[in-house]
Amino acid sequence: MQEVREDITVDEYFKDYVPKMFAEQLKGATISDMDGTVAKLTFNVDSGGQKNTYSLVITDAKDLEVISGPVDDALVTLDMDESVWRDAVTGKLGGAIDMFTDVNKVANRARFEKLKDIKGSLVLDLTKPDGSPVNMSVTFNGAAEPKAVFKCSLDTWVQISSGEVSGVNAFMGGQLKIEGNMPLAIELSALVG
């Protein structure tokens, strides 16, 4: 995988890098039972008050279309400021958004079906090792409410989203704090990892 330059623009990333990354990931992906699916993901990147919006439309987990702007009926909409986005795409926040961008995670029929049923939003209130905050929000199927807030270290989030640690174990061990709508938080824990 080619590295993402520190000075890459949001436009360059989505138009040039994402299709190459998708094609490369697709070569090694295990795709099962994804015929007839369309996953729409929208990324809103706030660059000092200017919102850069790009959408990915993934059909049958095999075909990618990058669209400049939002799409109707997005399964997932991620909102973050440019510094968080840049750290995520250049590897400084490794794993922070992989659950939404990795073909191997997207190309799972059971996960896709769960995703279609979730209504609400998740606010991620993460902390880097140096103590600085990483904030982003994820809206599922266009529904801002109900809302759940997950608070944890970036390291814990990466362990949860990679499946290395379950959200339940992180919560029970005090590494993950949850605020807001608990039924939604439980539903989201089935999606994460």
Side-chain angles (χ1 to χ4, degrees):
M1 181 68 62
Q2 74 182 57
E3 285 191 27
V4 178
R5 297 184 337 262
E6 288 282 332
D7 65 344
I8 195 166
T9 66
V10 176
D11 188 60
E12 285 178 295
Y13 177 78
F14 283 99
K15 289 183 177 177
D16 299 332
Y17 185 81
V18 168
K20 291 174 190 170
M21 177 182 67
F22 183 83
E24 190 171 312
Q25 287 180 353
L26 198 55
K27 289 177 190 173
T30 303
I31 299 172
S32 60
D33 192 31
M34 293 299 290
D35 288 343
T37 62
V38 178
K40 297 178 183 179
L41 314 170
T42 296
F43 295 80
N44 294 315
V45 180
D46 186 342
S47 301
Q50 177 186 349
K51 190 186 293 187
N52 294 294
T53 301
Y54 284 88
S55 298
L56 308 179
V57 178
I58 304 168
T59 305
D60 302 331
K62 297 176 193 161
D63 298 309
L64 170 71
E65 179 183 6
V66 177
I67 297 171
S68 180
V71 291
D72 291 333
D73 304 322
L75 288 175
V76 176
T77 301
L78 287 92
D79 290 279
M80 64 194 85
D81 68 35
E82 186 174 354
S83 65
V84 170
W85 168 82
R86 186 168 307 284
D87 284 352
V89 302
T90 59
K92 293 178 185 169
L93 297 180
I97 62 172
D98 289 358
M99 69 182 297
F100 305 108
T101 59
D102 186 309
V103 172
N104 287 298
K105 293 200 181 253
V106 174
N108 176 297
R109 186 65 178 233
R111 189 171 184 275
F112 175 79
E113 294 300 331
K114 284 180 193 174
L115 191 58
K116 286 187 349 185
D117 292 337
I118 294 176
K119 304 271 191 282
S121 63
L122 169 64
V123 175
L124 294 173
D125 184 354
L126 310 176
T127 307
K128 292 182 191 178
D130 68 5
S132 60
V134 174
N135 298 301
M136 63 183 105
S137 65
V138 185
T139 303
F140 298 92
N141 296 295
E145 297 293 332
K147 184 181 292 187
V149 179
F150 285 13
K151 294 183 175 188
C152 61
S153 71
L154 176 62
D155 291 340
T156 298
W157 175 250
V158 170
Q159 290 174 349
I160 292 169
S161 63
S162 71
E164 187 178 326
V165 173
S166 77
V168 172
N169 286 344
F171 179 73
M172 298 302 281
Q175 297 167 295
L176 171 65
K177 299 196 180 350
I178 299 174
E179 297 175 356
N181 188 283
M182 288 307 282
L184 175 63
I186 292 166
E187 193 174 14
L188 290 172
S189 70
L191 177 70
V192 176

